[in-house]
Amino acid sequence: MSVIVFGSINLDLVAKTPRLPMAGETLAGNHFLTAGGGKGANQAVAAARLGVPAQMVGRVGSDSFGQELLAGLQAVGVDTAGVLIDLDAHSGIAMIAVDDAGENSIIIVAGANGRVKISDVGRLIKLLPSAKVLLLQLEIPLTTVLLAAAAGQNAGIPVILDPAPARPDIPDGLYPLIDIITPNEIEAAQLVGFPVNDPETAAKAADELRSRGAGTAIVKLGAQGVFCASAAESFFVPAFPVEAVDTVAAGDAFNGALAAALATGLSLHQAVIWGAAAGALCASKAGAQPSMPDRQTFDAFLQEQTHFKI
Ligand code: RIB
């Protein structure tokens, strides 16, 4: 039984620079790489690398990037039968700058991701019976996210929404379809309308998101850790100490690992620890999909963190 992801697939064009450029500035970078990306695809790869079957539903363009992206997903074992090659679009692109401190800025051109529609939800619905958990993000049209969440709820499987990238127009009707919502500090603040930057404000934000209908709210606080509140419990998991090289896709690693853990029957608390560990490992390497930890690295890392033994 698998994790199924309905979302975006991008090719990331990554430039390393000493610092992020200012408006109007031309800056010399010192390293360039291309890598598979897109929040949806990254999350599918994160689950697959941990040894949990993952299926991807979405679109790539009919360009060479699309072929490269499909091959990359297949190489790590992601089932791409649900991915359509859109003959009238280019593949999704992300132009990413990463500075020496590991901070980043990203420009996305949606391409095929922006053309995901009801027919794609139809492909998702056919695959849902073989899935244990549905993972959603906000890099495809919101109407399709809403339909997919409803389909996941109808199928009786947990629906996880990573409300990224941050957007203010999430309809009220989406929250009751979501079992677990996983914003970072910026996304949480945008959703609830007040600053979220520590465990106290994260708890307040989680209460607000749950009052709108989300079953469980997990607020990611970056280097501080993760706050989680459900109907049954609330807890804080401190961040694993790692040297951040590139935080791109750390949130995706968190979501993919969270879903993978839940799909394999681990508790919510264990799943949040998996998410935090995968996020930390991802931040310690460059690139989105290339930085998702494999199971051996992941298990060894958790073993070393004696205070986090699960
Ligand atoms: O979350 C990181 C991802 O955001 C990148 O891989 C990029 O493609 C954008 O979608």
Side-chain angles (χ1 to χ4, degrees):
M1 292 293 258
S2 67
V3 169
I4 191 161
V5 183
F6 184 65
S8 58
I9 306 167
N10 288 337
L11 189 82
D12 290 355
L13 307 170
V14 187
K16 291 277 290 174
T17 64
R19 57 180 174 76
L20 300 180
M22 293 183 297
E25 184 183 20
T26 300
L27 196 63
N30 47 38
H31 187 65
F32 174 74
L33 68 107
T34 62
K39 295 184 194 306
N42 293 346
Q43 296 180 17
V45 169
R49 296 271 285 163
L50 293 177
V52 175
Q55 303 181 78
M56 183 73 215
V57 181
R59 290 188 182 214
V60 292
S62 58
D63 46 19
S64 61
F65 288 168
Q67 293 304 324
E68 195 182 319
L69 289 165
L70 283 175
L73 289 171
Q74 289 157 4
V76 296
V78 175
D79 183 338
T80 59
V83 178
L84 179 85
I85 298 174
D86 188 328
L87 298 178
D88 297 315
H90 66 79
S91 296
I93 292 294
M95 300 174 70
I96 303 178
V98 180
D99 72 12
D100 282 348
E103 276 308 323
N104 63 73
S105 70
I106 305 181
I107 298 170
I108 290 166
V109 187
N113 298 309
R115 290 163 49 87
V116 169
K117 33 176 104 64
I118 296 182
S119 54
D120 301 271
V121 180
R123 284 201 313 286
L124 170 72
I125 288 172
K126 289 202 184 106
L127 296 170
L128 282 175
S130 63
K132 268 260 176 190
V133 179
L134 170 62
L135 255 174
L136 303 169
Q137 317 75 28
L138 300 178
E139 278 186 338
I140 55 173
L142 207 42
T143 46
T144 63
V145 174
L146 203 63
L147 288 170
Q153 191 175 67
N154 281 340
I157 59 171
V159 178
I160 302 176
L161 173 68
D162 176 14
R167 51 191 296 170
D169 56 344
I170 292 188
D172 291 345
L174 183 55
Y175 291 98
L177 301 173
I178 302 305
D179 293 284
I180 305 179
I181 190 165
T182 64
N184 66 18
E185 312 165 80
I186 294 168
E187 293 142 10
Q190 181 134 48
L191 292 174
V192 299
F194 55 81
V196 177
N197 44 31
D198 58 23
E200 288 70 39
T201 48
K204 229 174 103 189
D207 280 352
E208 171 60 27
L209 295 171
R210 294 192 60 247
S211 76
R212 294 181 192 174
T216 294
I218 296 175
V219 182
K220 296 170 285 185
L221 294 168
Q224 294 184 72
V226 183
F227 179 83
C228 176
S230 71
E233 58 185 334
S234 66
F235 56 86
F236 181 76
V237 171
F240 290 91
V242 287
E243 197 175 322
V245 170
D246 171 359
T247 57
V248 172
D252 299 331
F254 180 95
N255 282 283
L258 176 86
L262 294 174
T264 53
L266 295 181
S267 69
L268 179 63
H269 195 193
Q270 288 168 326
V272 172
I273 292 172
W274 269 41
L281 283 168
C282 172
S284 67
K285 278 182 73 180
Q289 289 169 24
S291 65
M292 297 303 169
D294 62 32
R295 187 58 187 265
Q296 208 183 347
T297 308
F298 181 79
D299 285 345
F301 180 72
L302 272 183
Q303 283 287 324
E304 283 164 20
Q305 316 288 323
T306 46
H307 57 297
F308 272 123
K309 274 240 166 74
I310 57 172

